Structures are given as structure tokens and as C-alpha cells.
């Protein structure tokens, strides 16, 4: 009998010699972790938006309500950041049933400023139906910005919109 050499990789322990084993695909893991990351991002954003109001209760008294889709002029005697914001329209979208407030922000300060505006939506009995935020960044002194505070809670009744808090800081 003749002695022939065994084929390459024959009789060798696993992991030594020969081609490496095929890699497992982890598409399911990638999709699963992506969904988990997206959910965590939404939760963190919701917490951040809730906490964005700060602890200053002195500026939290609501301005007067505006009737649905009616313009409201801000009180002439309001000073500071709250006086820079005016509700120009308040409505419920007929398709989505989401409330929204159209806002006009006018930077009356002497420095370029950023704004965060909190708005609440209430019914005729003053029951709070939802809330929303709007922001505008880098407004020069005297510059105006039209923004929308969009609520995400479905509403089936007439609403009024109120500015509950305005944060202005130099940009």
C-alpha cells in the first residue's frame, strides 16, 4: 500500500487550518436594537420636553384664551419674553383632530434670541385638553417669526389656546 498524504485540514482540530466558518447574519438583532433605540429616544425627548419648563413659576400664569381661529393681540402691558409672543390662530385640524396654535414671535430684546413657547389647549369649561411646544432660534432684535405649536392629542370640541410659558435666551 502506498501512503498518501491526507487532504489539507484533515484530522486537524477545529479552528486550525482550513477556511473559517461562515459568519452568522444578525439582521434581526440590528432591526430589534434600532427599534429599541428609537423607543428610548422618544421617551427621553418626552421627558426633556416635560422638564423644559424649568422651575420658574412666576411666569406660568396663562395669558387670556383665544377663540378658535381668531387672532389675539397680546396685552400691551406685558413685558419680557411673554410680551414677545402673540397667538394669531387657534384651530383643530379636521383630518387628524389635532389642535394647533399659530404664533407670531417678535424679538423685542436688544440681542439675538432663541425662544421656546409652551401652549395649552382648553375647552369651553377651561379643561385642559392638550399641550404643545414651539420654538424659534436666532431671531435678531426686531425680527419676527411665525411658528406653529402642534398638539398630538385628538380633540373633538371647540378649543381655546393659551400661552403658558415663554423662555427667551440670548443666542
Amino acid at each position: 500500500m502506498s501512503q498518501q498524504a491526507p487532504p489539507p485540514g484533515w484530522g486537524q482540530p477545529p479552528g486550525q487550518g482550513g477556511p473559517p466558518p461562515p459568519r452568522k447574519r444578525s439582521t434581526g438583532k440590528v432591526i430589534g436594537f434600532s427599534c429599541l433605540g428609537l423607543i428610548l429616544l422618544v421617551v427621553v425627548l418626552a421627558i426633556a420636553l416635560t422638564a423644559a419648563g424649568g422651575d420658574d413659576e412666576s411666569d406660568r400664569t396663562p395669558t387670556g384664551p383665544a377663540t378658535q381661529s381668531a387672532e389675539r393681540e397680546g396685552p400691551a402691558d406685558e413685558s419680557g419674553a411673554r410680551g414677545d409672543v402673540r397667538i394669531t390662530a387657534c384651530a383643530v385640524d379636521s383630518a387628524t383632530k389635532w389642535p394647533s396654535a399659530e404664533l407670531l414671535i417678535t424679538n423685542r430684546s436688544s440681542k439675538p434670541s432663541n425662544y421656546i413657547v409652551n401652549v395649552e389647549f382648553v375647552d369651553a369649561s377651561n379643561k385642559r385638553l392638550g399641550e404643545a411646544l414651539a420654538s424659534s432660534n436666532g431671531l435678531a432684535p426686531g425680527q419676527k417669526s411665525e411658528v406653529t405649536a402642534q398638539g398630538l392629542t385628538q380633540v373633538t370640541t371647540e378649543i381655546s389656546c393659551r400661552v403658558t410659558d415663554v423662555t427667551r435666551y440670548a443666542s
Side-chain angles (χ1 to χ4, degrees), residues 114-137:
N114 299 326
Y115 288 83
I116 300 172
V117 182
N118 297 59
V119 175
E120 72 176 352
F121 307 106
V122 296
D123 65 9
S125 66
N126 210 29
K127 178 184 171 192
R128 187 177 196 161
L129 303 173
E131 57 197 25
L133 291 174
S135 66
S136 187
N137 294 320

Side-chain angles (χ1 to χ4, degrees), residues 13 33 42 61-62 64 69 73 101 109 118-119 126 130 133 152 163-164:
F33 283 122
V42 169
T61 55
S69 299
E73 290 290 332
S109 74
N118 297 59
V119 175
N126 210 29
L133 291 174
L152 299 176
V163 173
T164 57

Side-chain angles (χ1 to χ4, degrees), residues 33-43:
F33 283 122
S34 296
C35 290
L36 180 62
L38 184 61
I39 291 169
L40 288 174
L41 178 64
V42 169
V43 169

Side-chain angles (χ1 to χ4, degrees), residues 7-8 58 107 140:
S58 64
N107 183 359

Side-chain angles (χ1 to χ4, degrees), residues 27-89:
T27 306
K29 288 180 184 178
V30 170
I31 292 172
F33 283 122
S34 296
C35 290
L36 180 62
L38 184 61
I39 291 169
L40 288 174
L41 178 64
V42 169
V43 169
V44 168
L45 285 175
I47 291 170
L49 291 176
T50 302
D55 294 334
D56 183 16
E57 294 297 324
S58 64
D59 198 26
R60 294 211 183 261
T61 55
T63 59
T67 58
Q68 185 168 343
S69 299
E71 287 197 23
R72 179 190 68 80
E73 290 290 332
D77 63 338
E78 280 202 51
S79 60
R82 185 176 295 271
D84 291 0
V85 179
R86 181 169 58 102
I87 296 174
T88 59

